Amino acid sequence: MRVLVVSDTHGDLFALRQALLCQPKAEVVIHLGDGYDEWQQVKSDFPEKAFYGVRGNNDWGCREVPLDDEIYLLKKHIVYTHGHTHYVKYGLYDLITDARSKKADVLLYGHTHVPDCRYEDGLYIVNPGSLHGSFGTFAILDITHQGVVPTILHLHG
Protein backbone atom coordinates (compact mmCIF):
# COMPACT_ATOMS: atom_id res chain seq x y z
CA MET A 1 0.00 0.00 0.00
CA ARG A 2 1.31 3.43 -0.91
CA VAL A 3 0.56 6.48 1.25
CA LEU A 4 1.13 10.03 0.02
CA VAL A 5 2.08 12.38 2.86
CA VAL A 6 1.95 16.14 2.33
CA SER A 7 2.14 19.19 4.55
CA ASP A 8 2.18 22.95 4.52
CA THR A 9 0.62 23.51 1.10
CA HIS A 10 -0.31 27.07 2.19
CA GLY A 11 -2.84 27.66 -0.58
CA ASP A 12 -0.85 25.93 -3.32
CA LEU A 13 -3.68 23.88 -4.81
CA PHE A 14 -1.67 23.33 -8.00
CA ALA A 15 1.20 21.66 -6.12
CA LEU A 16 -1.18 19.41 -4.21
CA ARG A 17 -2.87 18.30 -7.42
CA GLN A 18 0.53 17.67 -9.03
CA ALA A 19 1.64 15.50 -6.11
CA LEU A 20 -1.56 13.48 -6.34
CA LEU A 21 -1.22 13.09 -10.12
CA CYS A 22 2.42 11.98 -9.92
CA GLN A 23 1.56 9.32 -7.33
CA PRO A 24 -1.37 7.48 -8.91
CA LYS A 25 -0.62 4.30 -6.91
CA ALA A 26 -1.18 6.11 -3.60
CA GLU A 27 -4.33 4.72 -2.01
CA VAL A 28 -4.20 6.94 1.06
CA VAL A 29 -3.37 10.66 1.37
CA ILE A 30 -2.44 12.21 4.71
CA HIS A 31 -2.26 16.01 4.91
CA LEU A 32 -0.34 17.25 7.95
CA GLY A 33 -1.88 20.69 8.16
CA ASP A 34 -1.63 24.25 6.89
CA GLY A 35 -3.65 23.39 3.82
CA TYR A 36 -7.11 22.33 4.97
CA ASP A 37 -8.84 24.27 2.19
CA GLU A 38 -6.75 22.64 -0.56
CA TRP A 39 -7.21 19.20 0.96
CA GLN A 40 -10.99 19.64 0.96
CA GLN A 41 -11.00 20.92 -2.64
CA VAL A 42 -9.10 17.96 -4.13
CA LYS A 43 -10.85 15.14 -2.26
CA SER A 44 -13.76 14.98 -4.71
CA ASP A 45 -11.38 14.88 -7.69
CA PHE A 46 -9.73 11.70 -6.38
CA PRO A 47 -12.61 9.57 -5.04
CA GLU A 48 -10.51 6.40 -5.24
CA LYS A 49 -8.20 7.70 -2.50
CA ALA A 50 -8.84 7.82 1.24
CA PHE A 51 -8.00 11.27 2.68
CA TYR A 52 -6.97 11.95 6.28
CA GLY A 53 -5.60 15.10 7.80
CA VAL A 54 -4.99 17.30 10.79
CA ARG A 55 -5.27 21.00 11.44
CA GLY A 56 -2.20 23.23 11.31
CA ASN A 57 -1.55 26.56 12.97
CA ASN A 58 -2.70 28.40 9.81
CA ASP A 59 -5.91 26.40 9.31
CA TRP A 60 -8.50 28.78 10.71
CA GLY A 61 -12.20 28.05 10.87
CA CYS A 62 -11.97 24.25 10.95
CA ARG A 63 -12.05 23.43 14.65
CA GLU A 64 -13.68 20.07 13.87
CA VAL A 65 -10.42 18.86 12.32
CA PRO A 66 -8.17 17.27 14.97
CA LEU A 67 -4.71 18.57 15.86
CA ASP A 68 -3.36 15.02 16.16
CA ASP A 69 -4.65 11.71 14.85
CA GLU A 70 -3.64 8.13 14.25
CA ILE A 71 -4.48 5.32 11.88
CA TYR A 72 -3.62 1.67 11.36
CA LEU A 73 -2.67 0.63 7.82
CA LEU A 74 -1.70 -3.02 7.26
CA LYS A 75 -1.29 -3.32 11.04
CA LYS A 76 1.23 -0.45 11.13
CA HIS A 77 0.33 2.21 13.68
CA ILE A 78 0.78 5.69 12.20
CA VAL A 79 0.59 8.75 14.46
CA TYR A 80 0.39 12.13 12.72
CA THR A 81 0.25 15.81 13.63
CA HIS A 82 1.12 19.20 12.23
CA GLY A 83 3.57 19.66 15.07
CA HIS A 84 3.03 23.21 16.27
CA THR A 85 1.36 22.08 19.51
CA HIS A 86 4.43 19.92 20.18
CA TYR A 87 6.83 22.82 19.45
CA VAL A 88 8.69 20.79 16.81
CA LYS A 89 10.69 23.81 15.69
CA TYR A 90 12.54 23.52 19.01
CA GLY A 91 13.08 19.76 18.96
CA LEU A 92 11.28 16.46 18.64
CA TYR A 93 11.80 14.93 22.07
CA ASP A 94 8.21 15.48 23.30
CA LEU A 95 6.68 14.40 20.00
CA ILE A 96 8.79 11.23 19.78
CA THR A 97 8.08 10.41 23.44
CA ASP A 98 4.35 10.78 22.77
CA ALA A 99 4.54 8.55 19.67
CA ARG A 100 6.46 5.88 21.58
CA SER A 101 3.91 5.96 24.42
CA LYS A 102 1.25 5.17 21.79
CA LYS A 103 3.40 2.31 20.45
CA ALA A 104 3.54 3.91 17.01
CA ASP A 105 5.45 2.39 14.11
CA VAL A 106 5.46 5.65 12.13
CA LEU A 107 5.45 9.27 13.30
CA LEU A 108 4.46 11.93 10.74
CA TYR A 109 4.79 15.65 11.42
CA GLY A 110 5.01 18.93 9.51
CA HIS A 111 5.25 22.62 10.45
CA THR A 112 9.02 23.07 10.05
CA HIS A 113 8.97 22.99 6.21
CA VAL A 114 12.17 20.90 6.47
CA PRO A 115 12.04 17.34 5.13
CA ASP A 116 13.09 14.70 7.64
CA CYS A 117 13.18 10.94 7.13
CA ARG A 118 14.83 8.63 9.64
CA TYR A 119 14.50 5.45 11.64
CA GLU A 120 15.27 5.43 15.35
CA ASP A 121 14.84 2.41 17.59
CA GLY A 122 11.81 0.95 15.85
CA LEU A 123 10.14 4.26 14.93
CA TYR A 124 10.05 5.82 11.47
CA ILE A 125 10.06 9.62 11.81
CA VAL A 126 8.98 11.50 8.68
CA ASN A 127 8.38 15.15 7.87
CA PRO A 128 7.48 15.59 4.19
CA GLY A 129 8.59 19.23 4.23
CA SER A 130 6.46 21.88 2.57
CA LEU A 131 4.71 21.13 -0.70
CA HIS A 132 4.29 24.85 -1.38
CA GLY A 133 6.37 26.58 -4.04
CA SER A 134 8.96 25.61 -6.60
CA PHE A 135 11.07 23.59 -4.14
CA GLY A 136 8.12 21.63 -2.78
CA THR A 137 8.64 18.21 -1.23
CA PHE A 138 6.38 15.39 -0.13
CA ALA A 139 6.78 11.88 1.23
CA ILE A 140 5.55 8.47 0.27
CA LEU A 141 5.27 5.51 2.59
CA ASP A 142 5.26 2.09 0.98
CA ILE A 143 3.72 -0.21 3.57
CA THR A 144 3.72 -3.99 3.32
CA HIS A 145 3.28 -6.73 5.88
CA GLN A 146 7.08 -6.94 5.97
CA GLY A 147 7.66 -3.29 6.83
CA VAL A 148 7.63 0.38 5.88
CA VAL A 149 9.77 2.21 3.33
CA PRO A 150 9.52 6.02 3.60
CA THR A 151 10.87 8.27 0.85
CA ILE A 152 11.08 12.06 0.47
CA LEU A 153 10.54 13.33 -3.08
CA HIS A 154 10.79 16.73 -4.76
CA LEU A 155 7.70 17.75 -6.69
CA HIS A 156 9.62 19.42 -9.53
CA GLY A 157 12.62 17.33 -10.31
Side-chain angles (χ1 to χ4, degrees):
M1 166 181 287
R2 179 162 285 182
V3 179
L4 172 62
V5 183
V6 300
S7 187
D8 297 278
T9 48
H10 292 287
D12 197 339
L13 184 60
F14 177 78
L16 181 55
R17 284 188 195 281
Q18 289 303 112
L20 284 155
L21 290 170
C22 78
Q23 291 298 318
K25 292 182 182 177
E27 298 172 52
V28 174
V29 179
I30 300 176
H31 196 300
L32 300 176
D34 283 357
Y36 177 78
D37 291 338
E38 301 90 70
W39 166 43
Q40 292 305 304
Q41 288 179 53
V42 299
K43 278 172 50 171
S44 62
D45 295 337
F46 298 89
E48 73 284 6
K49 298 181 187 308
F51 282 81
Y52 300 92
V54 290
R55 182 176 71 215
N57 59 302
N58 289 306
D59 290 321
W60 301 286
C62 54
R63 289 202 167 281
E64 72 283 357
V65 179
L67 291 167
D68 306 289
D69 212 345
E70 51 195 280
I71 188 173
Y72 285 86
L73 297 172
L74 294 180
K75 298 186 180 180
K76 301 298 181 200
H77 187 195
I78 301 170
V79 173
Y80 56 102
T81 185
H82 183 61
H84 65 292
T85 59
H86 298 277
Y87 306 103
V88 297
K89 287 186 177 181
Y90 302 103
L92 300 181
Y93 179 80
D94 290 339
L95 185 59
I96 290 171
T97 300
D98 184 53
R100 289 191 189 286
S101 74
K102 295 176 180 175
K103 300 189 181 339
D105 299 299
V106 179
L107 167 61
L108 304 174
Y109 73 100
H111 188 55
T112 66
H113 294 205
V114 179
D116 182 16
C117 186
R118 56 188 142 136
Y119 181 78
E120 291 182 2
D121 300 320
L123 180 65
Y124 290 95
I125 302 165
V126 179
N127 181 331
S130 172
L131 189 57
H132 177 69
S134 58
F135 297 104
T137 57
F138 61 93
I140 55 171
L141 303 176
D142 285 312
I143 303 172
T144 68
H145 293 290
Q146 290 75 34
V148 178
V149 177
T151 308
I152 301 289
L153 298 169
H154 289 269
L155 184 60
H156 304 289

